[in-house]
Amino acid sequence: MFEGKSLIEILNMGGWVLYVLLGLSISSLTVICYKFVEFWQKSKVKRVDFLPVLFEKIKNDSLEKAIEYCESVNTPMAAVSKAGIIAFKSGENLGEFMDREIMIQTVELEKYITILGTVGNIAVYIGLFGTVLGIISAFHDMSAIGAGGITVVIGGVSEALIATATGLFVAIPASTAYNFFVKKIDKFIVGMEYCSSAIEDKFNLNYFHKGKK
């Protein structure tokens, strides 16, 4: 059915709905690539490697060195840890500062993710809508042409189904990526909460001032 046809011709077969789905597909693919790179970069440093180095710097160097280390590591755990150290230096409540930073980092991690969820939910319905419009148009043509135009109508219906297939093609990757990224965000949150708890447990007054437990 698509032999010898250009992309524009195929899009015209499905009507304006395919152009909408094409735009949604480009948007979702852009978000997928962006978030994949972002999460990959922020996952390079593991919690089991980060915390021992941070504690060692505090014991052997200073709070300033620990803050510099946090700033050099691109991970939400480092941002939360930095907030805790700054809170201690300022005489503030560590838990409150780190909880606020966890919320800030979570919002940053969730940025643009809703686009994938939205595309995954509506792409199929948009495709179905395009198919329904195509079928309505096909039956309208049949009523105008008469019984002899059944072959033309069948061709019109098959072309209308392109919209449903395209909707599924757009929705499946978006929904899959959305679920994947949500799971990754949950792991980031667990890591941040673990760091917050560890800092509250270990970073007591004696630990900071004496350089030992």
Side-chain angles (χ1 to χ4, degrees):
M1 183 170 61
F2 300 135
E3 292 181 2
K5 295 184 181 296
S6 66
L7 177 61
I8 298 299
E9 290 174 331
I10 295 173
L11 290 173
N12 288 334
M13 288 171 62
W16 61 268
V17 171
L18 285 194
Y19 287 94
V20 174
L21 291 173
L22 177 63
L24 293 176
S25 177
I26 294 173
S27 298
S28 64
L29 288 175
T30 301
V31 173
I32 289 171
C33 293
Y34 174 78
K35 298 304 289 187
F36 182 82
V37 172
E38 177 189 355
F39 286 3
W40 174 72
Q41 291 176 338
K42 292 184 177 181
S43 299
K44 285 183 178 180
V45 178
K46 304 300 181 183
R47 184 181 67 239
V48 294
D49 299 322
F50 171 73
L51 281 178
V53 174
L54 178 66
F55 291 158
E56 196 66 26
K57 283 188 174 296
I58 293 172
K59 289 171 65 176
N60 298 334
D61 298 317
S62 66
L63 298 183
E64 287 71 22
K65 291 290 185 180
I67 292 175
E68 289 178 5
Y69 172 64
C70 290
E71 292 175 343
S72 68
V73 178
N74 183 19
T75 174
M77 296 181 297
V80 173
S81 301
K82 176 184 173 182
I85 297 172
I86 292 175
F88 178 83
K89 289 182 62 179
S90 304
E92 304 288 345
N93 185 289
L94 274 72
E96 292 181 0
F97 264 62
M98 288 189 288
D99 286 344
R100 284 197 289 269
E101 188 61 33
I102 289 174
M103 288 190 290
I104 292 172
Q105 292 298 318
T106 301
V107 170
E108 185 65 25
L109 291 169
E110 292 175 344
K111 193 175 183 180
Y112 306 126
I113 292 296
T114 53
I115 294 176
L116 297 178
T118 301
V119 171
N121 287 329
I122 69 173
V124 175
Y125 296 107
I126 292 176
L128 288 173
F129 179 66
T131 296
V132 170
L133 292 179
I135 292 175
I136 292 173
S137 176
F139 276 101
H140 175 75
D141 293 340
M142 185 173 67
S143 66
I145 298 173
I150 188 66
T151 303
V152 176
V153 172
I154 292 174
V157 171
S158 66
E159 291 179 0
L161 290 173
I162 296 174
T164 298
T166 306
L168 291 170
F169 181 78
V170 174
I172 291 173
S175 296
T176 303
Y178 175 80
N179 292 330
F180 172 77
F181 289 136
V182 166
K183 190 67 176 178
K184 289 291 291 182
I185 291 172
D186 289 340
K187 290 183 179 180
F188 279 122
I189 292 174
V190 170
M192 289 187 290
E193 290 178 344
Y194 183 92
C195 285
S196 175
S197 176
I199 289 173
E200 282 194 89
D201 288 342
K202 285 207 165 203
F203 288 14
N204 53 61
L205 194 60
N206 289 334
Y207 189 89
F208 276 113
H209 285 291
K210 296 182 180 179
K212 60 182 180 180
K213 295 182 180 178

